[in-house]
Amino acid sequence: GWSVPSPGFSWPKLVVAKSQEITRLSGIYENMLQNSGVQLFRGSARFEDPHTLLVDGQRITATHFLIATGGTPALPDIPGIAHAVTSNEAFDLPALPRKLLVVGGGYIAVEFAGIFNGLGSEVTLLLRGSQLLRGFDQAVALHLQEEMARKGIRILKDTQALALTRQADGQIDVQLSGGLTGSERFDTVMVATGRHPQTEGLNLAAAGLHVTKGGGVMVDAFGQSAVPHIHAVGDVTETQALTPVALAQGAALARSLFGPERKAVQLGHVATAVFSQPPIGTVGLSEEEALAQFAEIDVYESRFKVLRNNLSGRAEKSLMKLVVDTASQRVLGMHMVGPDAPEIMQGLALAMNLGATKADMDATVGIHPTSAEEFMTMRDKRTVRRAS
């Protein structure tokens, strides 16, 4: 029933607001450190030996060292890659791109494709394979792919960018191969082909540390490296690349070193979200992962328009999915694509951690009318057996 005037949008105002918010949050974190009595050194650090860290000429020794340098965008080795931007620079562009190419099919790629599409850019998403969000439940990935295409995002499958060339008018010519061959021009090319641990320059070899093929610090379940007094947490260890996981690992390490008990973080049922358009919330095993571990599973799946989309005439559909062990009826995985999926999945993650069964879900009275109640009322199932 609403009649809304055409909205206006200012890219420069967004960039300024973003920078102000980052400054505000950084100030809060720095105050927390200072109020906790933490001494802060600013500069680039590198190990001289297992017990000495050099920070811009100043030598530091400590009883324990913790490496928590996170990750950084990985760039493909192709000619002209310097003309591309990554997620680090996406919100510092001088203007909103009119025509944007996003290279990649992971969560960063689909999130930024949705953001720029929503702001009015003509967005093309370049997939090296046939499906986005590798590692997610296939039904979830395919459903999001359909909804992104419905919103006007052009998705090129089985296609690779071979080279980028800056033209005299500022546009970038992209040489393509695979599903689409030839070249095409874009205002901006954003590369979102994954991230790798940020260990370059730390001189880890001098500390006696070995790294993985991807450059990550190898640690045990307690965050301890092969050198007992050197530890690492978060993305630099190539664990689940999620902020809450890094925070939990850091807290567990602090308790292990200085607190009452030595305890590892339990990462069995970590809920995660993809802030795509529409968003994804998921916890536990995908259907494919469950079949690899269990002989037989029950799969409950529902696709529908949420009530508000029916009233407004929007075509967007939601997906909800339960994966259940047939033998024990324990819920192995919960997945959703649709409005508020991350918020809904946070609560369901608790149920997963408490060992919820399908009967527990059925016995829970839903809140009506909500999307979340669909998880409590799923009846149609298909039983899938692992191929022998």
Side-chain angles (χ1 to χ4, degrees), residues 121-138:
S121 298
E122 180 184 333
V123 178
T124 297
L125 186 64
L126 196 68
L127 302 182
R128 184 175 58 183
S130 59
Q131 181 181 308
L132 48 77
L133 292 179
R134 186 176 58 184
F136 281 73
D137 187 278
Q138 286 188 16

Side-chain angles (χ1 to χ4, degrees), residues 14 38 102-103 113 150 158 167 180 191 203 212 217 254 283 322 370:
L14 172 64
V38 174
V102 179
V103 181
R150 193 198 308 272
D158 301 308
Q167 302 299 306
L180 183 68
V191 175
N203 196 25
T212 65
V217 180
V283 63
L322 282 177
T370 65

